[in-house]
Amino acid sequence: MALERMTNAQLEDVFLRGTTPALSDLTGWEFRGLNTPPWFRLFGIKKFIKGFYAHAGGTWGYNCPVEQNRTSGPWVAKPSEANPKRFGFYTVEPVDATAKDNRYLHALLLDYGQGNNPRLDPSAGLRDYLVQVDPADTDVYLGKAYYAAGPLRLPTFSYFILERFRRGP
């Protein structure tokens, strides 16, 4: 994937030119996810699955771990395709200009702090911004991650790529 080979400066340019995804283009789907930093492979989080679903009148999402094979290899959910682990839940909403997490007004906010994750789950601090890379292509998205530490929003200097994979549960 061409995005994976880009520098952070190039990804930032793509991100800033991106458009706001339609919630309807995400809801009900799972996406193959790829974190761009190569060292994420050391932590077993280079590849992942991210899903989106409708719940309680809103849009929510989750992550699934996958086998960390080659990036050209298949995305195989863990512990199994029949019983994938879903964790790191988040709400999905357009960015609110009046809210604390309002860095990119042209993006959607994936707010893990509102995802009803376990109390001590470190994923609760994640705040991801998501844009559609090409307005004519609803299959590829680019995300940028921040971490909430109290009132601070710390950049993680990492991007992730999502590519439509399959219908979600």
Side-chain angles (χ1 to χ4, degrees):
M1 182 176 295
L3 288 170
E4 182 191 7
R5 294 185 295 277
M6 291 184 174
T7 66
N8 276 2
Q10 292 169 318
L11 288 168
E12 181 68 9
D13 185 54
V14 171
F15 189 86
L16 292 174
R17 287 185 287 113
T19 60
T20 308
L23 290 171
S24 60
D25 289 335
L26 301 172
T27 305
W29 289 93
E30 289 186 331
F31 292 78
R32 293 185 298 190
L34 191 65
N35 285 307
T36 61
W39 53 271
F40 273 39
R41 185 176 304 283
L42 299 173
F43 297 110
I45 57 172
K46 178 75 174 168
K47 295 172 65 172
F48 60 92
I49 293 173
K50 193 175 284 289
F52 297 86
Y53 62 98
H55 177 70
T59 303
W60 292 68
Y62 57 86
N63 291 278
C64 291
V66 300
E67 292 179 10
Q68 298 298 304
N69 53 25
R70 292 170 295 140
T71 56
S72 61
W75 264 249
V76 180
K78 290 171 61 176
S80 71
E81 283 291 314
N83 188 28
K85 176 183 179 182
R86 291 187 179 93
F87 71 102
F89 295 90
Y90 50 86
T91 58
V92 185
E93 296 181 335
V95 173
D96 177 355
T98 65
K100 174 73 176 166
D101 296 298
N102 66 357
R103 185 170 289 272
Y104 300 100
L105 299 179
H106 71 296
L108 292 178
L109 176 67
L110 284 54
D111 187 345
Y112 292 70
Q114 301 298 316
N116 296 327
N117 292 298
R119 186 168 172 263
L120 298 177
D121 185 342
S123 73
L126 286 171
R127 305 293 185 271
D128 292 341
Y129 293 92
L130 188 69
V131 298
Q132 187 171 323
V133 172
D134 177 348
D137 184 356
T138 60
D139 290 335
V140 179
Y141 301 87
L142 182 62
K144 187 173 182 182
Y146 283 79
Y147 199 83
L152 301 176
R153 296 305 185 258
L154 307 172
T156 64
F157 304 104
S158 67
Y159 294 84
F160 60 90
I161 303 158
L162 297 181
E163 184 177 51
R164 193 173 308 276
F165 181 41
R166 62 187 177 200
R167 281 277 179 198

